[in-house]
Amino acid sequence: MTFYRSDIRDAITLDFETEKIENRPVYPPKPVGLAVRWPSGNSEYFAWGHPTGNNTGEGNARLILSDLFRSDAPLLFFNAKFDLAVACEKWDLPMPDWRRIHDAMFLAFLADPHARNLDLKSLAEDLLDWPAEERDFIAGYVWDNRVHLKAQFGGKINKKQKKAEASNAGEWLSKLPVKIVGPYAIGDVDRTYELFEHLYPLIAANAMCDAYDRERNIMPIFMENERDGMNVDLDALSEDVPYLRDSLERADETLGEMLGRPGLNIDADAQLAEALSDAGIVEDCDWVLTKTGQKSVSKDNLTFEMFQDPTVGHI
């Protein structure tokens, strides 16, 4: 299906807010609100599962989404697999035809598979200069009200976490008032639409629409695979795991010997960086430094072409 940029004006952008996301069989999580951006450009948040400020019932929200699923309008998401899993598994709605489903995350990956991050807020900040103010406000609110929230909903307060706890503020969205979550949810659908407007012309100009269509076409298949699971040959796995574990240990030992550091702890970043530098495997001018000025050995920063000895790079 060829999708023209002008068609996006008819798209309905959707995003669920839910309880804490966990792995199956608990996944997908229970929805507590639905943000909708209408083709007119207006956005609203239908909320039913928050402690205060709810403006509709879950049944009514389901009817609204059911009508949208039955319409002919394009449906736009960011990470459509998540929202469709919630709609189809929690609300038993039928899966829309893949030709109607659009996903700004697919476009972001196709545009730059090596992007710093592929999450909505980071992309909007990097590509649209749109800071994540709502997310930061939520994080601050959760931290400032942590005593009340944990007293009301359970859990212990770990004082050592401090702001690190606020980084997981998304887990608390279902526990917060609608007046706090609403702007966050609406910001997500607005960002999704603007990212699509920004990215789709780039994909079209680079003749990648077929690749985009493939991603959309196979998405329901992947969703079914994730829902049903995969068969595992436990007997074969029980034989393979010890072999692969031994192979990993031999690789570590070999790397330590090649770098002149027998017993080198590969998982100690500073030790590994020092060993690579001292052996002349990575030249000083090629290192990418962390914010604290340390040599970064992350897979994003320590790339294969930096290795003077390809064998070491392969190991």
Side-chain angles (χ1 to χ4, degrees):
M1 175 183 179
T2 302
F3 184 75
Y4 297 98
R5 187 183 180 191
S6 59
D7 296 340
I8 194 61
R9 296 189 180 94
D10 298 324
I12 299 167
T13 311
L14 301 165
D15 180 48
F16 274 111
E17 298 301 338
T18 68
E19 294 183 349
K20 180 180 177 180
I21 300 174
E22 300 184 68
N23 295 325
R24 289 189 183 276
V26 181
Y27 183 91
K30 182 180 178 181
V32 298
L34 176 67
V36 181
R37 184 193 184 278
W38 302 103
S40 64
N42 294 325
S43 301
E44 56 186 318
Y45 183 54
F46 298 98
W48 60 88
H50 294 275
T52 60
N54 295 307
N55 55 21
T56 191
E58 183 172 3
N60 184 57
R62 184 186 181 281
L63 286 175
I64 292 172
L65 189 60
S66 179
D67 288 342
L68 296 179
F69 273 30
R70 289 200 303 267
S71 72
D72 294 328
L75 304 175
L76 175 59
F77 302 88
F78 189 92
N79 189 16
K81 283 202 307 181
F82 172 77
D83 297 286
L84 290 170
V86 174
C88 297
E89 296 185 47
K90 289 300 184 183
W91 282 358
D92 198 30
L93 297 182
M95 176 72 68
D97 186 278
W98 69 267
R99 296 170 185 84
R100 295 181 54 218
I101 300 170
H102 294 277
D103 195 330
M105 188 177 73
F106 288 162
L107 295 176
F109 172 76
L110 293 171
D112 184 4
H114 303 294
R116 175 175 65 94
N117 286 299
L118 283 175
D119 65 278
L120 176 60
K121 305 294 194 309
S122 296
L123 288 168
E125 192 161 7
D126 291 345
L127 301 179
L128 306 176
D129 195 25
W130 191 335
E133 294 175 347
E134 304 94 337
R135 179 200 61 195
D136 296 341
F137 178 79
I138 291 278
Y141 182 90
V142 169
W143 178 248
D144 292 341
N145 294 273
R146 62 193 182 279
V147 175
H148 167 74
L149 288 171
K150 290 200 170 185
Q152 184 175 2
F153 300 108
K156 296 180 179 180
I157 301 171
N158 185 352
K159 295 182 179 179
K160 293 182 179 180
Q161 283 185 293
K162 294 187 177 179
K163 290 295 182 181
E165 173 136 352
S167 67
N168 299 321
E171 299 178 3
W172 291 94
L173 287 176
S174 64
K175 313 300 184 186
L176 304 182
V178 171
K179 66 179 181 180
I180 301 297
V181 179
Y184 174 95
I186 289 174
D188 279 359
V189 289
D190 290 345
R191 283 178 175 84
T192 298
Y193 178 86
E194 295 298 334
L195 276 173
F196 198 103
E197 277 275 84
H198 175 81
L199 290 168
Y200 187 81
L202 301 177
I203 298 303
N206 286 279
M208 298 179 70
C209 291
D210 286 346
Y212 176 58
D213 285 350
R214 277 195 297 273
E215 293 287 348
R216 296 191 296 144
N217 195 355
I218 63 177
M219 181 190 62
I221 300 171
F222 285 161
M223 290 180 63
E224 183 178 356
N225 287 344
E226 292 174 5
R227 182 172 61 250
D228 295 343
M230 299 179 66
N231 292 325
V232 175
D233 186 338
L234 293 178
D235 292 337
L237 193 61
S238 65
E239 297 178 2
D240 290 343
V241 167
Y243 167 77
L244 294 172
R245 185 181 293 116
D246 290 343
S247 298
L248 180 61
E249 291 176 356
R250 288 198 302 274
D252 286 354
E253 292 172 359
T254 301
L255 187 57
E257 293 170 358
M258 294 182 69
L259 297 177
R261 299 285 186 92
L264 174 67
N265 181 3
I266 306 301
D267 295 323
D269 293 352
Q271 291 184 31
L272 178 59
E274 181 184 21
L276 291 170
S277 287
D278 290 349
I281 302 298
V282 178
E283 296 183 353
D284 289 340
C285 60
D286 290 335
W287 283 103
V288 176
L289 301 182
T290 66
K291 292 181 179 180
T292 59
Q294 304 300 311
K295 297 173 180 175
S296 174
V297 296
S298 72
K299 65 179 181 180
D300 292 331
N301 293 330
L302 184 60
T303 55
F304 183 76
E305 60 269 15
M306 293 167 61
F307 289 86
Q308 300 302 308
D309 184 342
T311 302
V312 175
H314 283 299
I315 296 176

